[in-house]
Amino acid sequence: MSTEPQHTPYQKPALEFKSSTFSVPVLIPYTNDLTVIEHQLQQKINQAPEFFRNSPILIDLQELNKQSISLNVAECIELLRRLALLPIGIRGGLHDQNEAALALNIPKISAQQNISHQDTAQKLEKIIPEPEPEPETSEQATTRIVTNPVRSGQRIYAHGDLIVLSQVSAGSEIMAEGNIHVYGTLRGRALAGIQGNTEARIFCSDLQAELISIAGNYKISEDLDESVRNKPVQIYLNDLALIIQDL
Amino acid sequence: MARIIVVTSGKGGVGKTTTSAAIAMGLAKKGHKTAVIDFDVGLRNLDLVMGCERRVVYDLVNVINGEAALNQALIRDKRCNQLYILPASQTRDKEALTIEGVGKVLEELAKEFKYVVCDSPAGIEKGATLAMYFADDAFVVTNPEVSSVRDSDRMLGILASKSKRAENNEEPIKEYLLLTRYSPDRVKLGEMLSVEDVQEILSLHLLGVIPESKSVLNASNSGIPVILDEKSDAGQAYDDVVARYLGEDRPHRFIDEEKKGLFGKLFRSK
C-alpha cells in the first residue's frame, strides 16, 4: 500500500478552471484625441450613469492601428478609470501599446478577426443603452432574478432577461436587454429589448404599468386600453406596433 | 443588544413623531429600557409631544460634536423611569449630523438600552437617511392616501438599499406598516384608501391601524404620549401595536365602522 498522501475520492477539490463566455462592452476609438473621446464618452455615460458605473470595458485598437493612428494607451486607461469604468483588457494593440497596458495590469486579449467594421463608422462603442439593432449582444448575457418588491424610485437593469418575482411599484423603472417577466403587479415602467432587440417581450401577471416599451417603441399608461388592464398579459412587437395580448 | 427602530414615512405630517412617542412609551411601560431620539434637527418637536421641552439642556448635535456626554443630554421621562429622550437641536440644521457621529451615539445607547426609537424627519435627505441607516426594524407610517403611500414605497426602496444592513449584505431591515389617521367612515364613502388598498400597493406586514382621533391632537398639545390615554381609540390602537411588535397576537381593531348592529355584523362577514 502506498504511504504517500492521497486524495480520497470523496475529498472535494478546492478549485476548478472553466472556460466561460461573457458579453463585455468594447470601446473602439476612432481618434487618438483623448479630449474628444472623453467628451463623447461622458455624454454616453450621462445617458445611463447606472449602466456604466463600474462597468468592465475592453479597449479595441484594431481600427486605429489599421489607419496607423497611435493612441496613448496609459492615458486612455487612466481616462476610463476616471470615468468610473473598469478596463479589463486591450486587443488589437501594437507591441508597445500592449506593454503599456500590461504595466497598468491590463492584459492583452487576442483579437477576433470576424468582427464587422463596415457599419460602425460613427459609433464610439458597441453597447450603448439606447434603441439600436444589436440583438446578438444579449445572447450570452445572463438572466437577472429579483425576489424583493421593486420600490418607487428604484431602477433595475439586466443585461439579459429580467425576472421579478414580486411587484414593481409605481415610480420605479425596470430595464432589460432581453425579456421582462413580472410575477406580481406591474405598476412602474418596464422597458424590454433596451438595446434594440425587437424580439424581446414583456410578461406580467397584472398590468397597471406607467409605461411599457420594447426596443424603444413605447406606450404610456393613458394609451393602454381598459380591456388589457389589471390582468395577465404579454406584450410584444409586431411591425413596430406594440401588441398586448391576454395570457 | 438593543433593537434600533426607525419610525419613517417620507411624507410629512403623517404621524411619525406621535408614533415615536407612543411606541417608545409603550415599550418602556412594558418594562423595556427605551430611548427615543429626535432626528429632526432644526425642527425639534418630539420634546413637545413628550412633554419635556422645559428640561432640554443638551441635544443630539451637542453629543455628536463632543460638547456634552450622552448621559447629560438624555432626559428621563417623569412618568416612566424606563424611558429616556434625546432631543434634537433647534438651532442647527441636518448638516450637523454625520454618519460617524450618529453611529457612535447609537452604539453607546445600544449598550444600555433594550430599544432605541429613532424619530425620522420627513423627506429622503440627510436627516431621514441617517435616522434609518443603522436601523434593525422600520415602522413605516402611512396615511390612507395616494401620495403618502407612494412616498412610503420610495422610503421602503431606500431602506432596502441604503441602510447599513443592506450595504453589509446582512439580513435586511424588518419593515412594518403602520396605517395612521384611518377613518373607516371615509373609507366606506370612497374618500380614503382602505387597509386592503394600501397593503396591495405596499405588500407589507401590517402592524396596526391607528384611527383618526381627537385624542391625538389633545395628547400632542398637552405633551402626553397618546398611548397613556387608555380610554382613547388611538391610545388603545398604539397599545396593540406595541404588543404585536413584541410578539403578542392581537386581532386588528378600528378597521371597520363602529356601532354596527348585530345584523350588520352578521351580514358583513366575508
Side-chain angles (χ1 to χ4, degrees):
Chain A
M1 266 178 95
S2 160
T3 52
E4 297 235 327
Q6 273 188 337
H7 289 295
T8 66
Y10 302 107
Q11 195 167 353
K12 277 188 183 168
L15 54 84
E16 144 177 57
F17 276 108
K18 274 191 172 171
S19 168
S20 187
T21 324
F22 297 95
S23 88
V24 174
V26 177
L27 179 78
I28 308 169
Y30 290 113
T31 167
N32 60 356
D33 186 342
L34 286 165
T35 357
V36 177
I37 292 180
E38 172 163 15
H39 178 70
Q40 293 193 14
L41 191 55
Q42 187 66 59
Q43 282 181 343
K44 293 281 181 203
I45 291 173
N46 289 344
Q47 289 171 4
E50 286 302 321
F51 173 75
F52 282 106
R53 187 170 302 137
N54 296 331
S55 165
I57 194 157
L58 195 92
I59 307 164
D60 188 333
L61 298 175
Q62 285 177 101
E63 200 65 31
L64 273 189
N65 288 333
K66 247 189 233 170
Q67 301 165 35
S68 308
I69 304 173
S70 152
L71 178 86
N72 186 328
V73 171
E75 280 179 19
C76 180
I77 289 168
E78 194 208 329
L79 163 74
L80 293 176
R81 288 183 175 156
R82 202 166 59 237
L83 295 174
L85 291 161
L86 299 171
I88 56 155
I90 174 173
R91 79 174 172 201
L94 303 171
H95 178 71
D96 52 337
Q97 287 176 324
N98 293 341
E99 289 292 303
L102 198 58
L104 291 165
N105 294 329
I106 304 293
K108 182 185 86 172
I109 312 253
S110 52
Q112 249 174 281
Q113 289 311 312
N114 55 353
I115 36 170
S116 60
H117 299 288
Q118 291 86 345
D119 62 336
T120 49
Q122 287 159 354
K123 273 190 284 165
L124 192 64
E125 51 179 296
K126 282 273 183 181
I127 298 181
I128 48 169
E130 61 188 10
E132 185 156 4
E134 195 96 46
E136 71 270 13
T137 51
S138 62
E139 272 176 15
Q140 292 145 345
T142 48
T143 300
R144 180 164 176 192
I145 301 179
V146 176
T147 50
N148 294 324
V150 181
R151 299 293 184 182
S152 188
Q154 289 185 316
R155 299 178 83 200
I156 294 197
Y157 191 101
H159 293 284
D161 285 1
L162 176 64
I163 299 176
V164 182
L165 294 170
S166 187
Q167 60 176 8
V168 176
S169 292
S172 67
E173 197 166 54
I174 53 174
M175 294 163 282
E177 288 171 22
N179 305 305
I180 292 179
H181 304 252
V182 180
Y183 296 98
T185 308
L186 172 58
R187 297 193 178 89
R189 294 161 164 249
L191 298 91
I194 200 155
Q195 296 288 343
N197 181 358
T198 51
E199 298 298 308
R201 294 186 179 205
I202 299 172
F203 306 85
C204 68
S205 54
D206 185 353
L207 179 67
Q208 300 180 25
E210 290 173 344
L211 177 143
I212 44 169
S213 161
I214 292 172
N217 301 277
Y218 70 92
K219 253 188 187 169
I220 55 171
S221 178
E222 205 174 68
D223 299 337
L224 292 181
D225 198 81
E226 280 306 318
S227 64
V228 297
R229 281 175 178 277
N230 305 313
K231 58 166 83 163
V233 293
Q234 67 159 325
I235 301 149
Y236 59 93
L237 212 51
N238 188 10
D239 284 340
L240 296 183
L242 279 182
I243 310 292
I244 306 176
Q245 199 177 61
D246 288 8
L247 280 179
Chain B
M1 196 60 192
R3 283 305 275 187
I4 297 173
I5 303 169
V6 61
V7 178
T8 188
S9 70
K11 195 172 185 300
V14 295
K16 284 183 294 298
T17 301
T18 301
T19 300
S20 299
I23 61 163
M25 179 61 86
L27 289 165
K29 271 185 44 168
K30 296 222 181 245
H32 304 295
K33 199 171 179 193
T34 304
V36 55
I37 311 178
D38 191 350
F39 272 85
D40 207 346
V41 178
L43 295 165
R44 188 175 85 198
N45 284 159
L46 182 69
D47 53 325
L48 291 171
V49 177
M50 295 296 300
C52 66
E53 73 278 10
R54 285 155 65 172
R55 295 197 287 145
V56 176
V57 183
Y58 294 111
D59 55 53
L60 176 61
V61 175
N62 291 137
V63 178
I64 286 176
N65 292 346
E67 295 150 6
L70 186 57
N71 285 334
Q72 290 176 290
L74 284 170
I75 304 169
R76 183 187 218 151
D77 191 86
K78 281 187 173 167
R79 294 151 296 207
C80 180
N81 61 10
Q82 298 282 15
L83 180 62
Y84 290 78
I85 298 115
L86 182 56
S89 173
Q90 182 71 347
T91 53
R92 310 292 279 274
D93 61 33
K94 272 126 192 131
E95 292 309 307
L97 297 175
T98 59
I99 196 155
E100 299 81 20
V102 171
K104 242 178 88 189
V105 170
L106 288 174
E107 197 184 321
E108 215 175 314
L109 285 171
K111 286 182 201 151
E112 221 181 307
F113 289 88
K114 184 87 189 291
Y115 293 102
V116 180
V117 179
C118 303
D119 181 20
S120 170
I124 52 171
E125 280 76 39
K126 201 171 182 186
T129 47
L130 279 179
M132 67 91 196
Y133 184 77
F134 296 96
D136 302 305
D137 300 312
F139 286 22
V140 179
V141 182
T142 306
N143 286 169
E145 49 103 10
V146 284
S147 58
S148 174
V149 172
R150 167 83 55 98
D151 291 359
S152 292
D153 196 51
R154 178 87 169 99
M155 204 63 223
L156 286 163
I158 295 172
L159 285 168
S161 60
K162 302 237 168 77
S163 67
K164 186 178 165 208
R165 280 173 173 268
E167 284 177 5
N168 294 347
N169 265 329
E170 292 168 36
E171 193 186 328
I173 295 177
K174 279 212 182 77
E175 300 153 343
Y176 300 96
L177 174 64
L178 213 61
L179 204 52
T180 54
R181 312 195 68 165
Y182 194 76
S183 165
D185 305 353
R186 298 190 64 189
V187 171
K188 204 181 171 203
L189 291 170
E191 297 171 350
M192 227 180 224
L193 297 178
S194 70
V195 178
E196 293 79 27
D197 293 338
V198 177
Q199 276 206 285
E200 202 200 309
I201 299 172
L202 293 180
S203 37
L204 213 55
H205 178 72
L206 180 70
L207 201 56
V209 175
I210 314 296
E212 173 83 68
S213 167
K214 281 181 192 157
S215 57
V216 172
L217 191 59
N218 289 338
S220 297
N221 286 338
S222 52
I224 303 164
V226 69
I227 199 166
L228 294 176
D229 186 354
E230 284 159 16
K231 289 199 190 74
S232 73
D233 45 1
Q236 291 173 23
Y238 274 118
D239 192 58
D240 285 356
V241 165
V242 172
R244 277 188 210 112
Y245 173 70
L246 293 173
E248 219 176 291
D249 192 17
R250 290 199 189 176
H252 284 285
R253 296 193 275 170
F254 314 109
I255 291 179
D256 298 313
E257 279 177 290
E258 281 186 59
K259 296 189 185 87
K260 279 265 178 193
L262 181 61
F263 278 103
K265 273 187 183 146
L266 280 177
F267 289 116
R268 208 167 25 132
S269 57
K270 284 183 197 169

